[in-house]
Amino acid sequence: ELKVEQNPLFLSMQEGKNYTIYCNYSTTSDRLYWYRQDPGKSLESLFVLLSNGAVKQEGRLMASLDTKARLSTLHITAAVHDLSATYFCAPGGSNAGNMLTFGGGTRLMVKP
Amino acid sequence: DSGVTQTPKHLITATGQRVTLRCSPRSGDLSVYWYQQSLDQGLQFLIQYYNGEERAKGNILERFSAQQFPDLHSELNLSSLELGDSALYFCASSGGYNQPQHFGDGTRLSIL
């Protein structure tokens, strides 16, 4: 059974600072997804990482994937308040379907 | 707007009752996924349909069932409801194996 662990679970940071969220998973997966969720809202797709060594960047967020280490990171550069949300990682399923197994989420609060 | 439509947005009912949640995927997406989000269980995959056929099954209770119709909309049926079934139920759709899953706004189910 695939297990996904994110850390930290909660992150409070000052605007302008950098930080990294880590996502470890227990079994082989060749795809990993990052999502953002605002309180009471839906999940918004941020990144789809499709291969070992994949790196994607959008604005102040950059995601990377190391399939050998079963690790993905989401790096935040010069955080701003608008980035406050919960971030989830989810490796894709290895069966014929594409079920996502979500980590517990990292709740990010960016303070002015 | 993800293009995935879920109805109703809110549902309040009593224990023992049965409800049906409806999902219309994005235009052109053949895959529909159902997820449950609760405080104690987090985000859990329930079931996936692809072009009318069940593709993958997760931790879906026997009291729950789903189907995808020829027009690709999907319904999730929850019966003999218990207090613990109170949760946010998301539907997602995707256009392919390596594409992101796009989530609807969810149906918030409250069991009294």
Side-chain angles (χ1 to χ4, degrees), chain B residues 60-77:
Chain B
I60 187 167
L61 299 172
E62 284 190 14
R63 300 183 285 108
F64 296 2
S65 64
Q67 54 184 328
Q68 186 180 26
F69 295 87
D71 67 352
L72 301 178
H73 92 271
S74 178
E75 293 181 355
L76 179 66
N77 300 295

Side-chain angles (χ1 to χ4, degrees), chain B residues 29-73:
Chain B
D29 286 355
L30 300 181
S31 281
V32 169
Y33 308 79
W34 287 97
Y35 293 87
Q36 179 194 60
Q37 186 176 33
S38 62
L39 284 175
D40 53 344
Q41 301 284 342
L43 263 166
Q44 286 198 102
F45 167 75
L46 295 177
I47 197 163
Q48 177 200 357
Y49 279 82
Y50 177 83
N51 202 21
E53 299 288 328
E54 183 183 304
R55 180 61 65 94
K57 213 167 186 177
N59 296 324
I60 187 167
L61 299 172
E62 284 190 14
R63 300 183 285 108
F64 296 2
S65 64
Q67 54 184 328
Q68 186 180 26
F69 295 87
D71 67 352
L72 301 178
H73 92 271

Side-chain angles (χ1 to χ4, degrees), chain A residues 30-31 33 35 37 40-43 45 48 50 88 93-100 102, chain B residues 33 35 37 43 45 48 55-57 88 90 96-105 108:
Chain A
D30 58 356
R31 290 158 291 117
Y33 303 78
Y35 285 87
Q37 186 179 35
K41 302 292 186 182
S42 183
L43 283 88
S45 175
V48 181
L50 297 176
F88 292 94
S94 57
N95 57 12
N98 190 23
M99 57 176 281
L100 299 182
F102 284 89
Chain B
Y33 308 79
Y35 293 87
Q37 186 176 33
L43 263 166
F45 167 75
Q48 177 200 357
R55 180 61 65 94
K57 213 167 186 177
L88 191 50
F90 285 111
Y97 189 70
N98 289 332
Q99 300 298 313
Q101 293 180 22
H102 299 274
F103 282 72
D105 289 341
R108 185 169 295 280

Side-chain angles (χ1 to χ4, degrees), chain A residues 61-79:
Chain A
L61 301 178
M62 183 174 71
S64 66
L65 178 62
D66 181 343
T67 58
K68 294 179 181 178
R70 297 174 190 163
L71 169 69
S72 181
T73 61
L74 181 66
H75 186 72
I76 303 155
T77 302

